[in-house]
Amino acid sequence: MKEPSIPIEFGGILSSLFEGFTSRNLDTAPQINYEPLIDVFSTDDCIVIEMEMPGVKKEDIEVSFMQNVITIKGIKYECCYDKKMKFVCMERSFGRFCKNIELNSPIDTARLKAVYMDGILKITLPKFSDRRGVQKKIHVE
């Protein structure tokens, strides 16, 4: 018995997949399909996040912090636009990314810092110092 064939419209699928890549607006870009690698480490006074993003432009990165969650969004565009090129091998990833990192320490939001240099985004999140365990003398009047 022969199974019925289902027509697939590749044009619609492919056009929706690449929709938004011509604009630099992060909110209109297509689905998330690129995941930069991150390192998160803690010192006595801060939490540091380092994210590898070679080829990403600074203006295509958005960092926000709300309710102990830091969100890093952006987009990495393809660098080759020549229609005559035929790839033999393509291992690099391109596209939109979004990473949410939940923190378990209270953060001093007034001193947050993000620096992007040489393809690495470094975010420094200063911790609030906990003074509840420090003894303080109180003058008696």
Side-chain angles (χ1 to χ4, degrees), residues 27-81:
D27 295 328
T28 62
Q31 68 193 20
I32 295 166
N33 52 359
Y34 169 63
E35 288 195 33
L37 301 175
I38 66 165
D39 291 333
V40 180
F41 57 92
S42 178
T43 64
D44 290 338
D45 58 344
C46 67
I47 296 172
V48 178
I49 299 168
E50 292 182 343
M51 180 179 272
E52 286 185 352
M53 296 189 293
V56 177
K57 295 181 180 180
K58 187 169 107 173
E59 58 268 14
D60 293 330
I61 301 169
E62 181 181 306
V63 181
S64 60
F65 183 81
M66 184 173 191
Q67 296 178 347
N68 275 4
V69 176
I70 188 146
T71 301
I72 307 162
K73 291 195 253 183
I75 191 162
K76 181 179 177 184
Y77 291 94
E78 276 189 73
C79 59
C80 302
Y81 300 106

Side-chain angles (χ1 to χ4, degrees), residues 78-132:
E78 276 189 73
C79 59
C80 302
Y81 300 106
D82 188 359
K83 301 284 185 203
K84 295 178 184 177
M85 292 176 64
K86 294 179 182 166
F87 284 95
V88 175
C89 176
M90 185 175 196
E91 294 183 351
R92 294 184 296 164
S93 297
F94 300 96
R96 182 179 172 162
F97 60 89
C98 180
K99 192 79 159 181
N100 293 313
I101 303 163
E102 188 169 345
L103 306 169
N104 58 1
S105 298
I107 301 299
D108 184 357
T109 57
R111 298 186 307 135
L112 294 174
K113 185 177 180 183
V115 177
Y116 185 60
M117 187 169 52
D118 297 330
I120 304 288
L121 176 67
K122 182 177 183 177
I123 303 168
T124 306
L125 306 138
K127 296 178 187 176
F128 271 119
S129 58
D130 188 1
R131 297 186 180 173
R132 291 178 287 183

